[in-house]
């Protein structure tokens, strides 16, 4: 194995735009192009264009593809209609979260699983192993797709100018095949920013053409290229978990406040069922730490791993923290003891290099767009 980072099909474009690049999960990715604050604000008020080609696509086909997914994942994939998508988790036998995923049903017997870049191989290996004995094929499609996202209130108008696909009737968490700027694409309406937006799965050789067409189409309405840095502050404001921070193998979906993704009512066994049933019971009777939002009263920024304190005692840990361009204050997500998790709980602070900085406990998300 070489340690050379993988390059997306848009690598030369990012460099020509002056992007600051960073190694992310083994990929060379744009961190920012100019000001991450400006990129963040553009997505909130106008639109941003993202390269997400580092995400991992895994295709399942065959008569029992859905049975594989119902067994391998915690969600009830058999209830997903053709053209729709579902957020779910893949867990270990002990209930720990291996990754959070989006599953698209592309056809009667065809599904695409989209995994986080850092976990793509782990997820591929787990699904392949769990598919043994089922009449289904699991295919690694990571090299078959480039993924471009346009996010923000202007994104529907920008995309409409380049496609005759029926975007008005494309619901949230759905996808349809179409042509965008002459390029064949799977057009999905999901997102990780808290805004309306679209993901476009295309062949890598079409990525540059599509990117340039979107940039040109959005020029008049304030579309800007946006990097991973603002993607992180956008998802943090929207209260969306990031694997490795809010989600880990040490936590079950119930620990993460996402027990709703686990569907015990589905037929048959699934990996982690027994452990998750026990976790659900624990969460109902004696909840462990809960995921909350924290808003700073001062200016110092909390970071992942910092201790949350109350009355001189450690009551939790920050999982993600950053300055919030929308709120104008530092914010964080943290797991805290249930006794201190209610919004408005007083006396809570974050230990920032020995100083207990005061924070307000709030319900997530910090930001919700106006419909």
């Amino acid at each position: 194995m070489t340690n050379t980072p993988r390059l997306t099909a848009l690598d030369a474009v990012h460099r020509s735009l002056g992007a600051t690049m960073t190694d992310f999960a083994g990929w060379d990715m744009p961190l920012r192009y100019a000001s991450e604050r400006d990129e963040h604000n553009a997505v909130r008020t106008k639109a941003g264009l993202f390269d997400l080609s580092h995400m991992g696509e895994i295709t399942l086909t065959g008569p029992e593809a859905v049975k594989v997914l119902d067994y391998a994942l915690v969600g009830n994939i058999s209830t997903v209609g053709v053209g729709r998508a579902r957020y779910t988790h893949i867990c270990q036998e002990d209930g720990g979260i291996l990754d959070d995923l989006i599953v698209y049903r592309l056809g009667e017997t065809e599904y695409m699983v989209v995994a986080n870049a850092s976990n793509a191989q782990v997820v591929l290996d787990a699904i392949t192993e769990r598919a043994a004995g089922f009449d289904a094929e699991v295919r690694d499609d990571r090299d078959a797709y480039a993924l471009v996202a346009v996010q923000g209130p202007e994104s529907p108008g920008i995309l409409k100018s380049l496609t005759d696909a029926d975007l008005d009737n494309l619901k949230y968490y759905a996808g349809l095949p179409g042509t965008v700027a002459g390029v064949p694409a799977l057009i999905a309406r999901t997102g990780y920013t808290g805004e309306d937006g679209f993901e476009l799965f295309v062949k890598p050789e079409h990525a540059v053409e599509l990117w340039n067409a979107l940039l040109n189409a959005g020029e008049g309405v304030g579309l800007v290229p946006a990097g991973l840095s603002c993607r992180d502050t956008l998802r943090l404001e929207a209260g969306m978990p990031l694997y490795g921070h809010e989600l880990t193998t040490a936590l079950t979906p119930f620990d993460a406040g996402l027990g709703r993704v686990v569907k015990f009512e589905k037929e048959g066994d699934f990996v982690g069922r027994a452990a998750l049933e026990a976790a659900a019971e624990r969460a109902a009777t004696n909840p462990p730490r809960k995921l909350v939002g924290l808003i700073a009263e001062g200016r110092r920024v909390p970071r992942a791993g910092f201790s949350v304190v109350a009355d001189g005692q450690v009551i939790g840990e920050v999982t993600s923290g950053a300055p919030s361009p929308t709120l104008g204050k530092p914010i964080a997500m943290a797991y805290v003891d249930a006794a201190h998790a209610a919004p408005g709980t007083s006396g809570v602070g974050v230990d920032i290099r020995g100083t207990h900085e005061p924070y307000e406990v709030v319900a997530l998300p910090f930001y919700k767009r106006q419909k």
Side-chain angles (χ1 to χ4, degrees):
M1 286 287 287
T2 63
N3 290 331
T4 313
R6 298 180 67 179
L7 307 181
T8 77
L10 291 160
D11 184 72
V13 172
H14 301 318
R15 291 170 198 282
S16 72
L17 290 167
T20 300
M21 305 297 284
T22 187
D23 179 9
F24 183 81
W27 290 81
D28 217 9
M29 297 297 294
L31 189 64
R32 72 182 75 80
Y33 297 85
S35 153
E36 52 206 48
R37 175 179 292 270
D38 290 350
E39 291 169 26
H40 178 110
N41 290 334
V43 176
R44 285 275 176 261
T45 60
K46 299 179 178 101
L49 185 61
F50 296 87
D51 178 9
L52 305 180
S53 303
H54 59 311
M55 301 294 278
E57 296 87 6
I58 300 157
T59 304
L60 283 88
T61 54
E64 293 190 318
V66 70
K67 287 190 176 177
V68 173
L69 293 170
D70 272 342
Y71 171 67
L73 315 180
V74 302
N76 192 353
I77 308 306
S78 56
T79 60
V80 179
V82 174
R84 297 307 302 265
R86 177 79 42 89
Y87 174 81
T88 187
H89 291 172
I90 181 167
C91 291
Q92 301 178 146
E93 198 64 70
D94 67 0
I97 304 166
L98 279 174
D99 201 13
D100 62 336
L101 312 166
I102 295 179
V103 180
Y104 294 91
R105 186 174 181 188
L106 303 180
E108 279 303 315
T109 59
E110 184 180 6
Y111 295 80
M112 180 171 70
V113 176
V114 181
N116 285 297
S118 54
N119 297 327
Q121 190 64 48
V122 168
V123 173
L124 175 68
D125 291 346
I127 292 177
T128 303
E129 189 182 311
R130 295 171 190 189
F134 290 95
D135 186 3
E137 185 199 345
V138 180
R139 191 171 71 234
D140 178 1
D141 268 350
R142 282 177 288 180
D143 293 335
Y145 292 105
L147 178 55
V148 173
V150 55
Q151 294 275 310
E154 296 286 353
S155 57
I158 293 166
L159 200 55
K160 275 181 192 173
S161 73
L162 297 173
T163 183
D164 55 9
D166 185 5
L167 299 185
D168 289 336
N169 289 312
L170 183 64
K171 295 185 171 70
Y172 187 52
Y173 267 76
L176 86 170
T179 303
V180 181
V183 169
L186 171 67
I187 305 167
R189 195 173 207 158
T190 64
Y192 194 54
T193 61
E195 299 300 333
D196 191 11
F198 304 86
E199 287 72 42
L200 306 169
F201 294 86
V202 299
K203 287 183 175 175
E205 58 263 35
H206 293 149
V208 172
E209 184 186 342
L210 176 67
W211 176 277
N212 289 334
L214 286 162
L215 264 192
N216 291 337
E219 200 174 8
V221 291
L223 173 78
V224 300
L228 290 180
S229 188
C230 84
R231 188 170 160 80
D232 193 48
T233 51
L234 289 159
R235 71 92 196 166
L236 178 54
E237 288 182 353
M240 294 177 170
L242 175 63
Y243 195 87
H245 290 255
E246 289 71 41
L247 308 175
T248 69
T249 51
L251 297 167
T252 72
F254 294 95
D255 297 324
L258 291 167
R260 64 182 180 276
V261 306
V262 181
K263 303 299 183 188
F264 294 121
E265 71 276 11
K266 64 178 172 175
E267 278 183 33
D269 195 18
F270 61 90
V271 177
R273 182 193 268 273
L276 289 166
E277 282 172 345
E281 207 167 301
R282 274 198 311 276
T285 53
N286 183 22
R289 288 179 167 177
K290 294 179 89 165
L291 188 64
V292 300
L294 299 173
I295 300 180
E297 291 179 23
R299 310 301 308 165
R300 297 182 75 188
V301 179
R303 298 296 182 192
F306 285 13
S307 294
V308 183
V309 291
D311 306 321
Q313 302 292 312
V314 174
I315 58 153
E317 186 176 295
V318 171
T319 52
S320 296
S324 163
T326 306
L327 276 64
K329 295 176 179 179
I331 59 172
M333 287 201 273
Y335 282 106
V336 302
D337 294 345
H340 293 88
T345 302
S346 59
V348 172
V350 174
D351 185 337
I352 300 182
R353 297 182 187 85
T355 307
H356 292 183
E357 297 283 340
Y359 273 74
E360 181 190 354
V361 179
V362 298
L364 292 168
F366 300 97
Y367 166 86
K368 212 166 193 169
R369 73 183 165 101
Q370 302 303 308
K371 295 286 188 219

